[in-house]
Amino acid sequence: MDLLEYQAKDLFQKVGIPILPSQRIDHPKDLKQLRIPYPIVLKSQVYAGGRGKAGGVRFAENTIDAVAAAQAIFHLPILGQYPEVLLAEAKYEPDQELYLAVVLDPSLRRPLLLGSREGGMALEATSRQIQQVLVDGEFSPFYARRLAIKMGLTGELIESVSAIAEKMYRLFLTYDLDLVEINPLAVNPAGEVMALDGKVTVNDAALGRHPDLLAMPSGDSHRDCFANRPALSALAMGPTCGVAASAFDLPNLNPMLFPGSLGILCNGAGLTMATLDLVDRAGGQPSACLNLGGESSYRLPPDTLCDRLEKGLDWILQTQRLRSVLLNLLGGADTCNAVAKAIARYLEQQRPPVTVPLVVRLGGAHAAAARKQLAALDLPMLFVLDSLDEAITKAIALSEGARVGR
Ligand code: GDP
Ligand code: MN
């Protein structure tokens, strides 16, 4: 569960991470009873990042400015989401903007401290400079100091920044967080540090242990509908809304049918579930979803995979209401080549022709060449994309009936 910035800052305050005086704004007219002095900054409270760039962070010198800015921000969607509340905050004049975070390293199953001297909105461009310190034993302030030094900080900043990292770590443990991030951690000319923005993700499985977090107002109906919705798997309808998968000779492939319009085809159970989750999170409406199997290429030779791919496509393409199909396939060089050829062959040989667009994301060590070959064929119903995010966005847009076009 993600928290909004103002909720994250409530937690920061509890552990003594410095934040500016602020006030929640539910309506532009609340600004007439503002308790913090001007100049202020008004910030859209949405879960998406990149508010600064999108125009969701505005400065105001007086009430007239502030009301106008608030009206603009309330009407500004950020990645499709409108804020239900804003945060009004005292304006700070940073000299320097740092980045700090604590995340759980999923493969090592240990917390990881992250930091960079280039924080703020410039972070994306410089993400290579994020320093890491793995907390591989019992935590001590030593880890936080090591991060500050790795970040290249000097003088008193080593102490003040590592003190914040330490508090973030305590927060991370106390509340079972997946992520706590401060970007930017601003440093003013006097060398004082201040958390200007905060992001907190609570581990969903641990929410039961934190009734205080669960009780936080969501401030956003999007999260409510997300949290209260039955698990997607509970919506699976069985083979009744199309033709039974067994008729397509798909033994043990465990096909799933959902009531939406976006078909999903992957190789590997984990990849299939992850793709289904990502499509769901991005607001897509899955239709038939099929795992072709083959978590490891040793177990599933490319020919077998291609054979299943064709049968899987046959099955998915006949499901009702289908408007697009996302193929998210991973493999080594042989698999990628074979899969690219199989998809091309399938599209070229179908009679009548396939009229539902296929969005292909091929990943793996040597996938680039296969993707290039496939894209070069310039088949009308085929979209080949490099990134999974882009592929998902494209497939969802197509499944919602957007015009087919490149
Ligand atoms: P994000 O773009 O969604 O990460 O939103 P942020 O809250 O991080 O704000 C974006 C940028 O606005 C920050 O990187 C800062 O440069 C700037 N900013 C935010 N709050 C303040 C503030 O109180 N004072 C000043 N001067 N800049 C701010
Ligand atoms: Mn930020």
Side-chain angles (χ1 to χ4, degrees):
M1 182 181 86
D2 290 335
L3 301 189
L4 289 166
E5 175 191 7
Y6 80 94
Q7 297 166 331
K9 284 180 171 171
D10 282 349
L11 293 187
F12 290 175
Q13 190 164 34
K14 283 188 185 161
V15 292
I17 294 172
I19 53 166
L20 292 160
S22 65
Q23 188 176 326
R24 199 181 120 163
I25 304 294
D26 293 83
H27 192 275
K29 72 175 179 331
D30 294 357
L31 287 157
K32 298 200 170 128
Q33 280 91 43
L34 196 64
R35 294 182 297 272
I36 42 180
Y38 284 96
I40 59 162
V41 52
L42 278 165
K43 305 171 89 176
S44 181
Q45 297 297 287
V46 287
Y47 296 105
R51 292 171 307 174
K53 278 189 196 133
V57 177
R58 291 175 185 234
F59 299 99
E61 302 287 337
N62 53 51
T63 311
I64 295 172
D65 277 4
V67 172
Q71 263 156 357
I73 299 178
F74 273 119
H75 289 99
L76 175 79
I78 296 177
L79 290 182
Q81 207 195 336
Y82 290 89
E84 289 191 357
V85 296
L86 311 186
L87 187 67
E89 203 172 67
K91 189 176 170 187
Y92 200 67
E93 280 311 331
D95 221 20
Q96 216 183 335
E97 298 194 336
L98 314 178
Y99 173 88
L100 278 187
V102 184
V103 288
L104 198 62
D105 184 315
S107 54
L108 298 168
R109 300 184 189 174
R110 300 292 314 173
L112 193 61
L113 311 182
L114 302 177
S116 172
R117 231 164 34 165
E118 325 267 327
M121 297 197 288
L123 183 81
E124 282 148 44
T126 57
S127 54
R128 269 172 295 131
Q129 291 164 18
I130 295 186
Q131 302 298 324
Q132 311 188 355
V133 172
L134 184 74
V135 182
D136 52 4
E138 177 138 0
F139 185 79
S140 81
F142 162 77
Y143 287 104
R145 284 182 66 86
R146 224 173 93 204
L147 179 73
I149 289 162
K150 269 185 118 173
M151 285 165 68
L153 301 178
T154 52
E156 289 178 1
L157 269 186
I158 296 179
E159 206 44 57
S160 50
V161 170
S162 61
I164 306 263
E166 211 181 312
K167 286 170 178 161
M168 290 167 77
Y169 184 82
R170 306 264 172 235
L171 204 60
F172 185 82
L173 280 201
T174 311
Y175 286 98
D176 295 306
L177 304 183
D178 284 340
L179 165 81
V180 49
E181 181 188 89
I182 299 180
N183 187 33
L185 178 72
V187 185
N188 74 4
E192 291 159 346
V193 291
M194 189 63 73
L196 291 196
D197 186 15
K199 190 163 168 33
V200 164
T201 305
V202 190
N203 189 295
D204 288 332
L207 268 173
R209 307 202 314 174
H210 304 288
D212 47 336
L213 295 184
L214 264 180
M216 280 185 166
S218 76
D220 168 293
S221 45
H222 174 77
R223 195 179 82 196
D224 281 345
C225 77
F226 209 81
N228 298 334
R229 207 172 41 180
L232 191 60
S233 53
L235 292 173
M237 298 193 300
T240 48
C241 78
V243 177
S246 54
F248 284 82
D249 188 21
L250 297 169
N252 307 323
L253 289 187
N254 197 16
M256 292 174 276
L257 264 172
F258 301 96
S261 56
L262 196 170
I264 297 172
L265 227 159
C266 307
N267 59 331
L271 187 65
T272 307
M273 296 319 286
T275 308
L276 193 55
D277 267 358
L278 290 171
V279 165
D280 183 52
R281 285 209 177 185
Q285 302 287 327
S287 161
C289 177
L290 189 63
N291 168 20
L292 299 175
E295 352 292 304
S296 123
S297 51
Y298 306 110
R299 266 184 277 157
L300 198 60
D303 285 353
T304 315
L305 179 64
C306 291
D307 182 47
R308 289 188 183 178
L309 180 73
E310 283 176 27
K311 287 177 176 146
L313 278 172
D314 283 346
W315 175 66
I316 283 188
L317 286 170
Q318 53 74 45
T319 44
Q320 290 167 21
R321 291 187 288 273
L322 187 81
R323 303 194 71 159
S324 72
V325 182
L326 171 66
L327 294 96
N328 185 18
L329 302 163
L330 292 181
D334 291 350
T335 309
C336 282
N337 269 328
V339 160
K341 287 207 180 84
I343 294 170
R345 203 169 50 229
Y346 189 92
L347 282 170
E348 285 165 343
Q349 292 178 355
Q350 281 300 306
R351 292 286 172 269
V354 176
T355 52
V356 173
L358 308 187
V359 180
V360 176
R361 183 256 179 169
L362 259 184
H366 303 280
R371 274 199 310 262
K372 224 169 159 180
Q373 281 173 17
L374 201 52
L377 297 175
D378 204 24
L379 293 165
M381 281 297 138
L382 184 64
F383 299 84
V384 183
L385 291 164
D386 287 8
S387 100
L388 179 56
D389 286 341
E390 285 170 18
I392 287 174
T393 306
K394 182 78 187 169
I396 291 177
L398 292 167
S399 76
E400 287 167 350
R403 269 181 53 142
V404 174
R406 271 178 275 190

